[in-house]
């Protein structure tokens, strides 16, 4: 781990990436909200950070914009690969479950579920 600030609220590199000291919050988490146009004060409150911590994060991002942006793109790519993996895995799992017979005595529950699905489908464009 390396310290990236000389104050109490610093940025360190951990196995998770660039992280705000004393938290599990990465700069990539902060960047997600910045890119969604959240103001720093709201981000601070969302993650329960101190003013020093959010200021250290924003300062580090500003100073190291190019490097952090490149790492952020890698993080986004990895997230997308993980999401795709789990969607595929769950698709197969749910398809197997759908072919299994329902437990006896739950016919009324399944009828209600199908009715609600039909209502939802009719409301969708």
């Amino acid at each position: 781990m390396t310290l990236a600030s000389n104050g109490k609220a610093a940025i360190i590199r951990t196995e998770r990436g660039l992280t705000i000291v004393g938290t599990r919050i990465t700069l990539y988490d902060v960047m997600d909200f910045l890119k969604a146009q959240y103001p720093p004060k709201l981000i601070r409150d969302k993650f329960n950070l101190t003013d020093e911590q959010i200021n250290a994060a924003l300062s580090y991002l500003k100073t190291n914009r190019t490097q952090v942006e490149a790492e952020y793109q890698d993080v986004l790519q990895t997230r997308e690969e993980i999401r795709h993996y789990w969607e595929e895995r769950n698709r197969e799992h749910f398809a197997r479950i759908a072919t299994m017979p329902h437990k006896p005595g739950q016919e009324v529950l399944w009828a209600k579920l199908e009715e609600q699905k039909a209502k939802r489908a009719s409301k969708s464009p």
Side-chain angles (χ1 to χ4, degrees):
M1 291 195 272
T2 56
L3 234 43
S5 174
N6 58 4
K8 206 177 196 183
I11 306 303
I12 57 172
R13 183 171 296 283
T14 67
E15 66 279 353
R16 294 170 47 105
L18 294 169
T19 305
I20 300 171
V21 169
T23 72
R24 294 185 51 150
I25 300 163
T26 66
L27 290 186
Y28 322 117
D29 297 326
V30 173
M31 288 180 71
D32 286 339
F33 285 94
L34 288 172
K35 292 199 179 276
Q37 312 245 333
Y38 279 65
K41 190 173 185 175
L42 193 57
I43 298 169
R44 180 200 67 198
D45 294 344
K46 172 90 173 138
F47 290 121
N48 198 26
L49 299 172
T50 65
D51 285 334
E52 292 171 342
Q53 288 171 318
I54 192 68
N55 289 338
L58 295 174
S59 175
Y60 189 90
L61 288 171
K62 184 176 180 182
T63 304
N64 302 286
R65 172 63 74 194
T66 306
Q67 172 204 355
V68 177
E69 184 65 39
E71 288 181 32
Y72 180 68
Q73 293 306 316
D74 289 342
V75 167
L76 292 178
Q77 178 64 34
T78 301
R79 282 182 191 171
E80 182 61 25
E81 290 168 2
I82 291 169
R83 184 189 64 76
H84 180 72
Y85 167 81
W86 283 106
E87 279 183 355
E88 286 302 312
R89 183 173 171 152
N90 286 338
R91 185 181 347 270
E92 294 168 10
H93 179 69
F94 292 142
R96 271 195 314 274
I97 290 173
T99 63
M100 296 171 66
H102 301 307
K103 292 181 181 177
Q106 293 185 340
E107 294 80 13
V108 174
L109 294 173
W110 282 102
K112 282 184 179 180
L113 179 62
E114 293 302 323
E115 182 183 319
Q116 288 180 357
K117 281 184 182 178
K119 283 182 185 177
R120 191 171 295 134
S122 68
K123 291 180 183 178
S124 298

